[in-house]
C-alpha cells in the first residue's frame, strides 16, 4: 500500500521548486501514496483538493491568520477491532466482545502547502458526545503551520454524535462505537495523520505530534496520553469531561435538590446571586475588575446567605434560559422566554445556589461529588425553565444527564427522565453503576502517565475557574509533576471560553505547547494569555500555574503576582469525597 513519495523523482523536483508545489502534491494519488500502512486498517476512497489564500478568523484557542494554502484531504477507512496489548492493562470490565466488529470511519485533514513545510501534526477532538468540532476545528492547525486532523468516529457523518447511534435498539449498545469515542478513533486518526504527514513532507524526518481539545475533547486528550503515551509529544487539554460516571449524573444535582426542597429559582434570582458573589469576591485578588481571580478565597470568605432579603428585578427576556444547549429534560412545553421578574432573595433561593457550589451530599450527609466554584455564572444547571402555560418555573437540566442515565446506564433510546421521587441517593446509585460499567472507557482516570512522561511528552491543562458545566477541582500532588505537566486555572473563564468581561484566556495555547516541546521553553510560572472581551480587551494578562494563585499588590498593574495560597485556601481545591467507596481520581 505505502509507496514512499521519494519513489517519484518528478514530484521531488516539483516540491523543491516551491510555488507550484501544492497543485502537484495535493492529488488523491499522491496522498494515497503517502498513507502509512497500519495493521487492522484498510483504506477506501481518498479525496484531496487544494485550497489557496485561506483566512482563519481568531477564535478563543488560536489567533487569526490569512494567506494560508493547504491540501484539504478526506480519507475513508475501515478497521476491525482486535484485542491489543495496550488495552490489556485497562481490562477490568465485563463488556461485549469487540472481536471482528468492522467500522467504517472518515478522517479529515488540512495539510499546509509544501511551500510552508510542516513538521507538526495536530489532532483535535470534540465536545458533548461529539468526537470532533467540525471542519472549522482544523483551523488552529493552519495558524501554527501544522498538519491537522479530525475523525467522524465511524458514527456516519461529521455531525453525527455518539448518542445518535449508541442504542441501535432498546437493550442493545453499540459498544464498538463507544470505544471509538472513548479512545480508539482519535488514536487511529493521529496514527494515519502523522504517518501521512511524514511521507507527504518528504524532507521531514520527525513530525511532532500534538493534541488539542476541551470538554469531551479534553477527556479525549487524556485518553490519548494515558493509553498511547509514546504517540504524542504535547497536548493542550481543556476542562476535561473525565470521571464521566460522576460528571454526567451530577448535571441532575441542582434539579434533584430543587425537587426535594420544593423550590425552583428563577433566572433573575440566580443572576442576582451571581452579581452579589462577584461584588463580594472580586477584590479578594487585589484587583477590582469584575473578575473573581481567587474563587478559593471566595469560597472561604463569602456565603450567599448574606443576600437573603435583598431585592432583584429583571426585564422580560426572549432569550434561552435552559442551559446546556440541549433543552429541558423530563418535560416539554417550557420556553426560553421569561417574563419580567422581581422579588427578594429567600433562604430557599440561597439553598439552591449553595447546593450548586457545595456539590451533592447523600442522605447520610456524605459528600458525593464536587460543586462549581463561586463566580460561575450559574445558568447551565441551576436556574429553572419557565412554563408560560402555568406561569411557573420548573427544574430543568442539560440533556447530557438524561442521556447518560437512559442510554449509557440503561441502554434505552431516550433522554427523558422523571425526577419525581429522585433523591441524592439515586444519584449515588447512578454514579456507582456508571463507575463499574465505564472504568476502562469513559472514566479516563488512569493515573499512570509513565509512557508519556518517559518519551518526553508535555501537557498544558487549563480549566475556566468559573466553569458552570464541568466543576474545577484537582487532586493533591500536582506541583510534583511540573517537569511535564502544568495546570492553569483561568480567572473568570467559563466552560472552554471566556465568560466574565476582562478575564484573560490563553488564546496562544498551541504556540505555548510548541514552544515547550520544540524549544524547551516551558510555561514554568505563567501561561501566556490575553483579555478577549470587555474594556481591557487586547491586554495581555498571564495565567498563574497552579498551585500558585494570582494576586495584585499595590497598583493593580495588569500582570498578577503568582503567590502560594495559604493552607486553608489550598485545601478548598481538594474536597474530601467520602460517599463513594472508590477512588474518584484513579482506578481503585
Ligand atoms: C488573498 O486574500 C486576501 C483577502 O483575505 C485578498 O486581499 C488578496 O487579494 C488575496 N490574494 C490573492 C493572491 O488572491
Ligand atoms: C474541505 O473539504 C470538505 C469535504 O471533504 C469540505 O466540506 C470543506 O468545505 C473543505 N474545506 C475548505 C476550507 O475548502
Ligand atoms: C481477547 O482477550 C481476552 C483477554 O485476554 C480473551 O479472554 C479473549 O478470548 C480475547 N478475544 C479474542 C476474540 O481473541
Ligand atoms: C471472527 O471471525 C472469524 C473468521 O471469520 C470467525 O471464525 C469467528 O467466529 C468470529 N468471531 C466472533 C466473535 O464473531
Ligand atoms: C425505547 O424505550 C423508550 C423508553 O421506554 C421508549 O420511549 C421508546 O419508544 C423505545 N424505542 C423503541 C424503538 O422501542
Ligand atoms: C523542507 O524544505 C522547505 C523548502 O525548502 C524548507 O522551508 C523547510 O524548512 C524544510 N523542512 C525541514 C523540516 O527540513
Ligand atoms: C447583574 O449585573 C449586570 C451587570 O452589572 C446587570 O446588567 C444586571 O442587571 C444585574 N442583574 C441583577 C438581577 O441584578
Ligand atoms: C452558608 O450559610 C448557610 C445559612 O446560614 C449555612 O447553612 C451554610 O452552612 C453556610 N455555608 C458555609 C459553606 O458556610
Ligand atoms: C406547563 O404547565 C401546564 C399547565 O399546568 C402543564 O399541563 C404542563 O405539563 C407544564 N409543562 C411543563 C413542561 O412543566
Ligand atoms: C414587580 O412586579 C410587579 C408585577 O409585575 C410590578 O407590579 C411591580 O411594580 C414590580 N416591582 C418592581 C420593584 O419592579
Ligand atoms: C502571547 O500572547 C500575545 C498576545 O497577547 C502574542 O502576541 C504573543 O505572540 C504570545 N506569545 C507567545 C510566546 O505565544
Ligand atoms: C498604576 O501605574 C500605572 C503605570 O505606572 C499608572 O499609569 C496608573 O495611573 C497607576 N494606577 C493607579 C490606580 O495608581
Amino acid at each position: 500500500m505505502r509507496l514512499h513519495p521519494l519513489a517519484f523523482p518528478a514530484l521531488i523536483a516539483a516540491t523543491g521548486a516551491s510555488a507550484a508545489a501544492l497543485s502537484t502534491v495535493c492529488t488523491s494519488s499522491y496522498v494515497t501514496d503517502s498513507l502509512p500502512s497500519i495493521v487492522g486498517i484498510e483504506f477506501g476512497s481518498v479525496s484531496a483538493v487544494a485550497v489557496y489564500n485561506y483566512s482563519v478568523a481568531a477564535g478563543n484557542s488560536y489567533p487569526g491568520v490569512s494567506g494560508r494554502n493547504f491540501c484539504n484531504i478526506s480519507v475513508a477507512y475501515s478497521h476491525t477491532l482486535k484485542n491489543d496489548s495496550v488495552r490489556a492493562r485497562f481490562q477490568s470490565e465485563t463488556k461485549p466482545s469487540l472481536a471482528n466488529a468492522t467500522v467504517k470511519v472518515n478522517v479529515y485533514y488540512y495539510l499546509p502547502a509544501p511551500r510552508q513545510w510542516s513538521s507538526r501534526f495536530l489532532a483535535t477532538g470534540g465536545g458533548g458526545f461529539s468526537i470532533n468540532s467540525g471542519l472549522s476545528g482544523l483551523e488552529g492547525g493552519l495558524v501554527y503551520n501544522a498538519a491537522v486532523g479530525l475523525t467522524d468516529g465511524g458514527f456516519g457523518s461529521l455531525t453525527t454524535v455518539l448518542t445518535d447511534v449508541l442504542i441501535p435498539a432498546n437493550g442493545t449498545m453499540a459498544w464498538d462505537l463507544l470505544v471509538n469515542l472513548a479512545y480508539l478513533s482519535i488514536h487511529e486518526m493521529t496514527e494515519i495523520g502523522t504517518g501521512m504527514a511524514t511521507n507527504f513532507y518528504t524532507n521531514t524526518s520527525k513530525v511532532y505530534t500534538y493534541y488539542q481539545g476541551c470538554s469531551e475533547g479534553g477527556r479525549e486528550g487524556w485518553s490519548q496520553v494515558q493509553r498511547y503515551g509514546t504517540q504524542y509529544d504535547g497536548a493542550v487539554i481543556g476542562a476535561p469531561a473525565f470521571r464521566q460516571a460522576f460528571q454526567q449524573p451530577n448535571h441532575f444535582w441542582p434539579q434533584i435538590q430543587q425537587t426535594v426542597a420544593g423550590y425552583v429559582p428563577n433566572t433573575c434570582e440566580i443572576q442576582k446571586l451571581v452579581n452579589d458573589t462577584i461584588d463580594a469576591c472580586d477584590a479578594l485578588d487585589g484587583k477590582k475588575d469584575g473578575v473573581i481571580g481567587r474563587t478559593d478565597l471566595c469560597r472561604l470568605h463569602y456565603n450567599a446567605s448574606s443576600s437573603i432579603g435583598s431585592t432583584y428585578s429583571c426585564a422580560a427576556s426572549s432569550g434561552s434560559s435552559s442551559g446546556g444547549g440541549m433543552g429541558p429534560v423530563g418535560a416539554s412545553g417550557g420556553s426560553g422566554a421569561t417574563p419580567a421578574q422581581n422579588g427578594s432573595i429567600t433562604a430557599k433561593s440561597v439553598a439552591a445556589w449553595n447546593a450548586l457550589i457545595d456539590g451533592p451530599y447523600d442522605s447520610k450527609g456524605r459528600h458525593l461529588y464536587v460543586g462549581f466554584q463561586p463566580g460561575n455564572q450559574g445558568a447551565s444547571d441551576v436556574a429553572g425553565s419557565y412554563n408560560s402555560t402555568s406561569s411557573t418555573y420548573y427544574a430543568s437540566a442539560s440533556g447530557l444527564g438524561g442521556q447518560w442515565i437512559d442510554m449509557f446506564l440503561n441502554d434505552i433510546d431516550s433522554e427523558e427522565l422523571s425526577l419525581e421521587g429522585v433523591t441524592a441517593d439515586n444519584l449515588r446509585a447512578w454514579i456507582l453503576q456508571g463507575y463499574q460499567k465505564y472504568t476502562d472507557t469513559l472514566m479516563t482516570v488512569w493515573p499512570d502517565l509513565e509512557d508519556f512522561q518517559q518519551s518526553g511528552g508535555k501537557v498544558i491543562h487549563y480549566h475556566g475557574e468559573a466553569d458552570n458545566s464541568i466543576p474545577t477541582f484537582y487532586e493533591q500532588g500536582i506541583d510534583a509533576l511540573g517537569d511535564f505537566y502544568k495546570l492553569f486555572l483561568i480567572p473568570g473563564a467559563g466552560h472552554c471560553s471566556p465568560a466574565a468581561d476582562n478575564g484573560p484566556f490563553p488564546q496562544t495555547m498551541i504556540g505555548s505547547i510548541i514552544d515547550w516541546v520544540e524549544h524547551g521553553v516551558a510555561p514554568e510560572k505563567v501561561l501566556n494569555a490575553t483579555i478577549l472581551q470587555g474594556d481591557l480587551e487586547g491586554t495581555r494578562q498571564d495565567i498563574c500555574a497552579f498551585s500558585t494563585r494570582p494576586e495584585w499588590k499595590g497598583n493593580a498593574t495588569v500582570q498578577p503576582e503568582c503567590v502560594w495560597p495559604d493552607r486553608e485556601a489550598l485545601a478548598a481545591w481538594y474536597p474530601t469525597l467520602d460517599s463513594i467507596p472508590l477512588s474518584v481520581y484513579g482506578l481503585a
Side-chain angles (χ1 to χ4, degrees), residues 135 147 221 225 274 329 334 347 393 425 463:
L135 285 169
V225 301
V274 169
V329 169
Y393 288 84
D425 291 341
H463 202 146

Side-chain angles (χ1 to χ4, degrees), residues 2-13 15 25 29-35 117 195-203:
R2 171 178 177 261
L3 288 177
H4 194 282
L6 281 172
F8 300 93
L11 290 181
I12 295 297
T15 56
V25 294
S29 66
Y30 186 91
V31 169
T32 300
D33 290 340
S34 299
L35 292 171
W117 289 94
M196 179 168 64
T198 308
N199 297 332
F200 188 93
Y201 302 113
T202 52
N203 65 343

Side-chain angles (χ1 to χ4, degrees), residues 144 507-508 511-512 515 528-530 538-540 542:
Y144 289 95
Q507 190 185 38
T508 55
S512 299
D515 280 349
N528 193 37
T530 312
T539 312
R540 182 160 166 190
D542 292 343

Side-chain angles (χ1 to χ4, degrees), residues 80 97-101:
T80 301
S97 166
L98 295 175
N100 296 356

